[in-house]
Amino acid sequence: MSLENIEHIVLVLSGKGGVGKSSITTQLALALSLQGRSVGVLDIDLTGPWIPRFFGIEDAKVKQAPGGWVPVSVHDAQPAGPSSDNGQDNGQDNGQAPRSGNGLGSLRCMSLGFLLGNRGDAVVWRGPKKTAMVRQFLSDVQWGALDYLLIDTPPGTSDEHISLVETLLKQTSPGQVAGAVVVTTPQAISIADVKKELNFCKKTGVTVLGVVENMAGFVCPSCAECTNVFSKGGGEVMAAEFSVPFLGSVPIDPMFVMLIEEGKRPVYPKGTVVNGKNMEENGTATDGNQEHNRDEGRLVEKYTSCSLRPIFDGIVRQLVTRLER
């Protein structure tokens, strides 16, 4: 019942740890919300539940309601208007989630991190306990109506993944599980592990929506350069080998890290160009003399100044075009 009003369920997978799945999930959610979709994020990485920290809501508490848990709100839906990100007006609010060009979509999330006493607590569970927790998350969280539910998963192809796929196949209607976004980094050792995840998807019947190559480049916070410190292109080659879409490459941006860790709006040196996008066009470049109040605003508003936002806009548009056509 908790999943029946969700249009599209998307898994974020990788066979390799440390490739940035939670970072990718967070930015997919923010980009979808900025395009007017209502989004939920379910974190089933039970031993590393960091989604609350990414969204800056670690201190929030999960509420109980008849039938299960109520997910924690990151921000509510906002109709388009003069102050919205796209600056367009959608007329009256009809009570539906805003669509692309029509404001900001709501964003909510659920994670084991909300249930721990403090973020340093270790989760020491055997496989059956993990399996039971995954099933409870899928059955007892009251999401309501959503356009997208993104599920952030742990690395590998073990108990949580098997339980997740089996439960989704039982509880969802045909086509509701849209597929998986698979995350890798450019290095050969990462590619080798992520290929196992693609094989897992093939064996379990999960459609691969595309591959995202994370950490493909480094955006220098002190100059205007974006350097491929870990090389680039391995994810695209792997996607071609498995005949799945390649969604894009994402560089490391220290300003995004600062946004998540300190809540500060990203700013960049003049002349910074990321994936062909000049950050001066976004009003996010500075010569060091201009004052910025970098602490004001919600996470989603600050994220619009991030160099990674245009990249994820493009990734999300590819997914939306495929899933909503």
Side-chain angles (χ1 to χ4, degrees):
M1 295 292 290
S2 67
L3 302 176
E4 66 179 353
N5 292 319
I6 298 171
E7 292 291 329
H8 308 287
I9 298 173
V10 177
L11 316 181
V12 181
L13 302 173
S14 180
K16 182 70 174 174
V19 298
K21 289 183 300 300
S22 295
S23 170
I24 297 296
T25 303
T26 298
Q27 294 183 83
L28 288 174
L30 292 171
L32 282 165
S33 178
L34 285 165
Q35 293 187 19
R37 272 65 180 182
S38 55
V39 186
V41 177
L42 175 59
D43 180 8
I44 67 161
D45 190 347
L46 303 179
T47 56
W50 292 115
I51 284 295
R53 185 170 185 178
F54 271 91
F55 286 116
I57 51 175
E58 282 184 293
D59 295 330
K61 300 297 182 183
V62 174
K63 296 180 180 178
Q64 287 279 353
W69 290 313
V70 178
V72 174
S73 175
V74 179
H75 60 251
D76 294 327
Q78 177 184 317
S83 62
S84 69
D85 181 62
N86 51 39
Q88 300 181 30
D89 188 3
N90 69 340
Q92 65 180 17
D93 181 6
N94 61 8
Q96 300 295 318
R99 307 299 292 180
S100 182
N102 291 325
L104 182 71
S106 63
L107 176 55
R108 290 169 281 172
C109 69
M110 182 63 193
S111 169
L112 184 63
F114 295 126
L115 308 178
L116 299 177
N118 63 73
R119 70 186 188 192
D121 288 347
V123 178
V124 186
W125 290 351
R126 295 184 186 275
K129 185 70 177 289
K130 290 182 178 181
T131 297
M133 189 76 256
V134 170
R135 288 174 177 165
Q136 188 171 1
F137 273 151
L138 292 174
S139 61
D140 289 0
V141 180
Q142 303 304 304
W143 294 105
L146 288 178
D147 293 320
Y148 288 87
L149 176 64
L150 307 180
I151 302 181
D152 185 31
T153 66
T157 56
S158 57
D159 292 343
E160 295 98 321
H161 303 80
I162 297 168
S163 177
L164 173 66
V165 173
E166 287 180 345
T167 305
L168 285 175
L169 291 176
K170 291 178 182 177
Q171 294 189 4
T172 59
S173 56
Q176 196 178 2
V177 179
V181 172
V182 177
V183 183
T184 188
T185 54
Q187 305 98 313
I189 193 168
S190 175
I191 297 293
D193 280 343
V194 176
K195 285 180 178 180
K196 300 173 185 177
E197 198 74 40
L198 292 172
N199 285 322
F200 170 84
C201 291
K202 184 176 181 180
K203 290 179 179 179
T204 56
V206 175
T207 301
V208 177
L209 299 174
V211 171
V212 174
E213 183 180 69
N214 199 19
M215 306 183 194
F218 173 77
V219 182
C220 180
S222 302
C223 68
E225 294 294 324
C226 182
T227 307
N228 296 326
V229 292
F230 292 138
S231 76
K232 186 176 181 180
E236 188 168 9
V237 171
M238 181 186 70
E241 179 183 341
F242 281 80
S243 300
V244 297
F246 180 69
L247 298 175
S249 296
V250 181
I252 301 169
D253 183 357
M255 289 295 110
F256 175 72
V257 177
M258 187 174 291
L259 169 63
I260 297 301
E261 295 290 343
E262 301 178 24
K264 293 187 179 298
R265 183 183 292 269
V267 293
Y268 300 91
K270 279 190 174 181
T272 301
V273 177
V274 181
N275 276 24
K277 174 72 173 179
N278 191 326
M279 296 313 298
E280 289 184 74
E281 298 173 9
N282 263 14
T284 58
T286 178
D287 58 7
N289 297 319
Q290 186 178 0
E291 290 294 329
H292 288 265
N293 191 338
R294 299 172 62 188
D295 295 323
E296 289 187 358
R298 298 175 296 180
L299 172 65
V300 67
E301 294 160 350
K302 297 172 187 176
Y303 180 69
T304 61
S305 299
C306 184
S307 72
L308 305 182
R309 189 269 174 99
I311 297 173
F312 278 88
D313 270 350
I315 291 172
V316 161
R317 290 189 191 283
Q318 293 179 68
L319 294 174
V320 165
T321 299
R322 175 172 179 176
L323 298 179
E324 299 183 11
R325 63 188 176 189

